[in-house]
Amino acid sequence: MMQTLNVALGERSYPIHIGCGLLADAALIAPHLKQKKAVVVTNTTVAPLYLETLTGALARSGVAAQPVVLPDGEQYKTWETLNLIFAALLGSHCERGTTLIALGGGVIGDMGGFAAACYQRGMPFIQIPTTLLSQVDSSVGGKTAINHPLGKNMIGAFYQPRLVLADLSTLDTLAERELAAGLAEVIKYGLIRDPDFFVWLENNLAALLARDKAALATAVARSCANKAEVVAADERETGERALLNLGHTFGHAIETGLGYGEWLHGEAVAAGTLIAAELSARLGWLMAGDVQRIERLFVRAGLPVQAPALGAARYLELMRHDKKVQDGQLRLVLLERIGRAVVTDAASTADIEAAIEARCRCA
């Protein structure tokens, strides 16, 4: 059965539909189109699997959908690839009322959304996420961006979609590594604001790894509900929304330092979350048993719990590009306890360095 949540942003509110077989149901998409024309941005991995299903459904409802197929991978989240989207939009004489549909994972959603925000100063945008990570996190909330060699997601815009369509059937073809990467973001919600969900994940992780549809539906819906509440309260990340970045400051440093695509985003977030947990314990907030409990869940999910040995100095250099830096002061999302996160600048450089070294592979 389909579940529908709502991201409450006044006149810019939009639904999140979650269920199986939704990709072929054009009736869920058509009401959000301004005209009978759309552009579907996808990649070389997703296109052979799901592009025909989507464009065929749209065609049967009278919507002409032109595909734009991009190379797959975090390393292609660049200006050069973004310009391929703009070239296709211009070449097809797309108007401000033409809808851009992003069909794929987080990279496609981020780039498609950024292109939609920029083209003719804004065109309608729909998210159809096909990975667990994008279904539970990046497709919801309107963050769009591309990477820069000096920092991940540093060039972008807040731009909300008109609709998020999360078809759980697309997770059947997801590689195990990608599934695990998505679980990192699912676990995050339990850690930052939903302790009962964290317990549920401890009890149901095996079902999620087995791709049990009922378990996946619960995990996706609970994650999206958490994120929708945060986004509704703080759309542009001036306060509470920053808590969604648990593990991300360290994780983005890992992705940038290793080279985009070497580690998946969720893998870097998992290792980064363990650094944050280690640091939280050093500040006297988390108990050692809490850190071990968090580590056990990430290990069971098949995620890394040790960060690459870039060196503490290199981590700090990369982390200075983090978007939570204010007046030159690095702020981090840390855990007071499982289920409660805070944004703080209370950690000293020495504490941060010690936590990084404790959680690096060389330690």
Side-chain angles (χ1 to χ4, degrees), residues 52-306:
E52 186 176 349
T53 300
L54 176 60
T55 57
L58 290 171
R60 288 189 293 274
S61 68
V63 177
Q66 177 188 334
V68 180
V69 182
L70 305 176
D72 183 19
E74 186 78 30
Q75 64 271 33
Y76 297 108
K77 197 174 170 183
T78 63
W79 277 117
E80 291 76 14
T81 308
L82 191 69
N83 270 322
L84 297 177
I85 303 176
F86 292 137
L89 295 174
L90 289 163
S92 298
H93 303 287
C94 291
E95 302 170 2
R96 187 174 287 173
T98 305
T99 298
L100 188 152
I101 301 174
L103 173 68
V107 172
I108 288 296
D110 278 9
M111 285 201 300
F114 191 28
C118 296
Y119 185 74
Q120 295 194 13
R121 299 186 178 90
M123 65 190 300
F125 169 47
I126 288 174
Q127 286 268 25
I128 303 184
T130 60
T131 66
L132 181 59
L133 190 147
S134 59
Q135 289 183 359
V136 302
D137 189 65
S138 60
S139 66
V140 178
K143 277 189 175 181
T144 72
I146 57 172
N147 298 331
H148 186 278
L150 294 178
K152 182 178 168 70
N153 291 337
M154 294 302 290
I155 303 163
F158 287 99
Y159 195 68
Q160 300 293 343
R162 302 292 181 93
L163 163 71
V164 177
L165 193 70
D167 188 339
L168 302 176
S169 300
T170 63
L171 303 182
D172 291 340
T173 56
L174 197 62
E176 289 186 7
R177 186 182 173 194
E178 292 276 3
L179 183 72
L183 288 171
E185 294 283 7
V186 175
I187 294 168
K188 173 191 74 178
Y189 293 108
L191 289 173
I192 65 171
R193 70 191 309 268
D194 195 343
D196 291 340
F197 185 38
F198 188 85
V199 173
W200 184 89
L201 289 168
E202 289 179 310
N203 294 329
N204 291 273
L205 188 66
L208 292 172
L209 290 169
R211 307 182 198 227
D212 176 82
K213 288 298 191 297
L216 286 169
T218 298
V220 173
R222 188 80 169 252
S223 299
C224 288
N226 272 295
K227 185 157 191 183
E229 288 180 10
V230 173
V231 170
D234 180 23
E235 181 181 3
R236 292 184 173 264
E237 201 172 295
T238 58
E240 180 185 359
R241 186 167 179 174
L243 299 177
L244 296 171
N245 292 317
L246 175 68
H248 286 59
T249 300
F250 298 107
H252 287 172
I254 290 170
E255 291 183 84
T256 306
L258 290 178
Y260 298 122
E262 190 67 26
W263 276 34
L264 297 178
H265 175 65
E267 294 170 337
V269 166
T273 298
L274 265 297
I275 298 175
E278 175 75 26
L279 182 54
S280 300
R282 287 173 181 268
L283 293 177
W285 297 347
L286 283 183
M287 303 293 289
D290 294 327
V291 178
Q292 292 167 4
R293 186 179 168 195
I294 295 166
E295 181 174 359
R296 281 196 300 270
L297 189 57
F298 279 122
V299 168
R300 288 176 57 203
L303 288 160
V305 293
Q306 288 185 301

Side-chain angles (χ1 to χ4, degrees), residues 311-331:
R314 177 62 172 153
Y315 273 92
L316 287 169
E317 177 189 357
L318 293 166
M319 288 160 58
R320 291 190 188 100
H321 294 291
D322 187 80
K323 294 180 285 295
K324 292 183 294 301
V325 171
Q326 283 189 356
D327 298 322
Q329 180 67 42
L330 177 63
R331 300 183 307 150

